[in-house]
Each structure stands twice: as C-alpha cells, then as structure tokens.
C-alpha cells in the first residue's frame, strides 16, 4: 500500500493523547474516526478539542475554516468495528497495559482490511510484544507521539524485527503529511530515544529531591533557566500524569528485574494519595 492511498485513519482511545492525535490527522486532511468504549470519554474529548481549537483561532494559529474542516473530517464512535472496518491506518492510544493492547490488536486485526497498518503509540511497550497477536506482524510498528500532541513536533517510528520496510516508510511519510517530524529507530529499545534521555533527567531530579538537596521549584528552575528546557521535570510529570510515569517505571522493573528501575518512594506516595498531577488538581504542584 502506498501512502497516497491512505484516506481513513482510526484512532483508538480518546484520552489526551488519542484525541489530539486524531485532531492533528484531521487537520492534515484525513478522514478520522476516534473510538473509545466509553461514551463519556468521547464527549469529553470532543469538548476538549473544541476548546483547544478555539484557543488556536484566537492566537491566530488556525483559521475558522481550518478548524471547521477538521471537525468535518472527524467521527466519534464507541464501536471498534465501525472505527476500523474501512480504515487504512490504525493508531492505538489506550492504557499502557500489554494484555489490553494485545487484545485490542487481535480484534483490530480481525476487523480491519488486510492492507491496514496497525500502529501503537506506546513508548514503553515495543511492537514485537504485540505483533504476534495479529496475522499481519509485518504491518505492526510503534508510532510514538509526544504530549501535548498538538504542540510537539517529533514522532518516533520504531521498526521491530517483524516490521516491513514498507510499513515504516508509509508511517514516516504519514507523519510528514500531518506536519510532524519523524525519526526512525531501526532497532527496538525500551523507552526509545527521547524518553530514555528524559527518564535519566527525571530520575536525577527525584534523587535531588529525596536527598533534600533542592526542592521541586528549584530543580525545575535549574532546568528551565540554566538548561533552557521549556518545562522542568516535576512540572512535566504533572502534565504527563504521575501515574503514567509510575507505570512506566513498574514496566521497566518488571522487564529488567533491576532494582534501580523500581519506582521511587516519592512516586509511590503520590500515586497512593491520588495526587497524579494536573488531571487531579494536585501533583508536585497544586492546580486550580
């Protein structure tokens, strides 16, 4: 399948990542179906996207026509069959749990046309752990966007040992057509490129905090004012979701057995308290 034959894209999972992935694809002119088993989540996703788009119109980043056309390209459904039955490309953005992803890919494989590529947005679960749940391993790859998708330009494409060259070529070209920048990893590695480097930064930030060398605000300031990062590691964990960071650490530990990979005491306590960042109103910072 050539990239110019991609017309219909299905995005599975209507959380922050999935909904924004769907929107950037719609802004790129593709027909997009956003699917989630939870109707309330779909309604919230639509409302959130409308707010994002209105802010971009006010800032002059998008026109009214561009936004209207994008929403005309989007459908919202709770039916997986409805979402993928005429799809040319599927992007999975559900919970970071291997069993859930494998079950979804098995169903999507059964319901989608034979030519359809099935990509996972996961940055931690490599596609070789999913591909054998389908009958099209050569069409399975990682396609990892960064949060917030509407802003961040980079997308990591990972070619597993099962992934065909054609699949990575089509995926990389699709990324360019939705005005993002792809990088291609020719080998699978946990965390890929950006998150491996970011993980080291977060680990060091937590070490400095736990050992009372500096507080949250000071460590973030060191990153924003000395290293010129747009956001500090603690503010970033609040944005991404402390539970997401925690789950990634758990997966790393389960996969390697290395004690250094265990979630820190700080992360454990935050998750136990339900202080997960912006989405709960409190994390390392408090939000109104």
């Amino acid at each position: 399948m050539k990239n110019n034959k991609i017309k219909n894209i299905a995005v599975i999972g209507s959380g922050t990542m999935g909904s924004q992935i769907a929107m950037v694809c719609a802004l790129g002119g593709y027909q997009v179906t956003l699917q989630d088993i939870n109707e309330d989540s779909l309604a919230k996703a639509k409302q959130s996207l409308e707010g994002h788009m209105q802010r971009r119109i006010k800032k002059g980043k998008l026109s009214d026509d561009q936004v209207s056309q994008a929403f005309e390209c989007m459908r919202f459904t709770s039916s997986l069959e409805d979402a993928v039955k005429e799809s040319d490309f599927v992007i999975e953005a559900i919970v970071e749990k291997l069993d859930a992803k494998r079950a979804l890919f098995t169903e999507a494989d059964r319901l989608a046309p034979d030519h359809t590529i099935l990509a996972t947005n996961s940055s931690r679960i490599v596609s070789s752990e999913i591909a054998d749940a389908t009958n099209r391993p050569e069409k399975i790859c990682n396609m990892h966007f960064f949060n917030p998708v509407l802003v961040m330009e980079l997308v990591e494409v990972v070619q597993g040992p099962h992934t065909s060259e054609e699949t990575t070529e089509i995926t990389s070209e699709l990324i360019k057509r939705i005005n993002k920048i792809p990088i291609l990893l020719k080998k699978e590695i946990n965390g890929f490129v950006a998150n491996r480097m970011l993980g080291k930064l977060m680990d060091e930030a937590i070490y400095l905090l736990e050992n009372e060398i500096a507080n949250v605000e000071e460590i973030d300031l060191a990153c924003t004012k000395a290293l010129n990062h747009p956001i500090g590691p603690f503010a970033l964990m609040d944005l991404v979701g402390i539970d997401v960071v925690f789950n990634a650490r758990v997966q790393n530990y389960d996969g390697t057995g290395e004690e250094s990979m265990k979630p820190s005491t700080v992360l454990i306590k935050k998750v136990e308290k339900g202080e997960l960042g912006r989405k709960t109103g409190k994390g390392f910072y408090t939000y109104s």
Side-chain angles (χ1 to χ4, degrees):
M1 181 183 68
K2 299 299 182 183
N3 195 277
N4 59 13
K5 292 187 178 179
I6 294 178
K7 306 295 182 186
N8 299 306
I9 297 174
V11 181
I12 312 303
S14 66
T16 300
M17 294 297 289
S19 61
Q20 292 194 21
I21 291 169
M23 178 53 74
V24 297
C25 291
L27 286 167
Y30 292 96
Q31 296 296 314
V32 182
T33 303
L34 181 61
Q35 186 271 343
D36 198 297
I37 58 174
N38 190 315
E39 293 279 4
D40 288 340
S41 293
L42 286 170
K44 290 177 181 177
K46 186 176 182 181
Q47 183 180 37
S48 176
L49 289 174
E50 288 170 348
H52 282 301
M53 292 302 100
Q54 286 304 310
R55 286 191 287 275
R56 277 160 176 72
I57 290 172
K58 289 179 180 178
K59 291 179 180 179
K61 295 181 178 180
L62 291 171
S63 68
D64 285 304
D65 285 345
Q66 285 176 305
V67 171
S68 295
Q69 289 171 12
F71 275 111
E72 286 176 6
C73 289
M74 291 186 70
R75 293 193 309 118
F76 299 81
T77 182
S78 59
S79 167
L80 181 63
E81 181 176 8
D82 182 36
V84 306
K85 65 182 180 182
E86 295 180 357
S87 64
D88 303 305
F89 203 104
V90 175
I91 305 170
E92 169 271 314
I94 67 169
V95 64
E96 284 287 273
K97 293 183 178 179
L98 179 58
D99 289 347
K101 290 184 187 295
R102 285 179 61 85
L104 173 63
F105 270 72
T106 297
E107 276 298 285
D109 176 55
R110 182 177 67 83
L111 297 169
D114 291 342
H115 70 269
T116 305
I117 290 172
L118 308 179
T120 174
N121 180 56
S122 178
S123 66
R124 299 288 175 181
I125 299 174
V126 293
S127 66
S128 60
E129 296 185 62
I130 300 171
D132 65 344
T134 75
N135 292 311
R136 63 182 85 195
E138 74 285 353
K139 296 184 183 297
I140 311 297
C141 69
N142 285 81
M143 183 187 192
H144 176 232
F145 292 79
F146 291 86
N147 188 25
V149 177
L150 290 169
V151 176
M152 304 300 283
E153 294 181 279
L154 191 75
V155 183
E156 294 172 317
V157 179
V158 186
Q159 183 174 13
H162 53 280
T163 310
S164 70
E165 292 284 347
E166 181 185 43
T167 293
T168 56
E169 288 173 6
I170 291 171
T171 303
S172 295
E173 183 60 29
L174 172 60
I175 290 165
K176 294 175 185 176
R177 293 192 179 198
I178 58 173
N179 298 309
K180 301 294 182 184
I181 300 169
I183 61 171
L184 175 61
L185 284 67
K186 300 293 284 187
K187 293 182 180 179
E188 292 184 334
I189 186 169
N190 182 272
F192 308 155
V193 173
N195 278 348
R196 286 182 71 85
M197 295 187 290
L198 181 61
K200 297 297 184 184
L201 178 66
M202 288 181 175
D203 287 346
E204 188 62 25
I206 290 172
Y207 172 85
L208 294 170
L209 178 66
E210 288 186 328
N211 286 275
E212 300 180 348
I213 294 166
N215 63 32
V216 166
E217 292 84 359
E218 291 165 336
I219 295 166
D220 274 0
L221 278 171
C223 290
T224 58
K225 301 302 182 183
L227 304 180
N228 205 29
H229 292 186
I231 188 172
F234 292 109
L236 181 58
M237 282 187 269
D238 277 0
L239 176 64
V240 172
I242 293 171
D243 55 328
V244 174
V245 179
F246 172 82
N247 288 334
R249 295 293 188 275
V250 170
Q251 288 169 8
N252 286 344
Y253 175 67
D254 290 344
T256 65
E258 295 179 17
E259 290 294 314
S260 63
M261 295 291 184
K262 276 187 175 181
S264 68
T265 301
V266 167
L267 291 180
I268 293 170
K269 287 182 177 179
K270 287 291 183 187
V271 171
E272 288 176 346
K273 291 179 181 178
E275 297 176 357
L276 307 180
R278 287 177 178 267
K279 60 187 173 185
T280 61
K282 187 174 182 181
F284 291 104
Y285 296 90
T286 300
Y287 305 89
S288 59

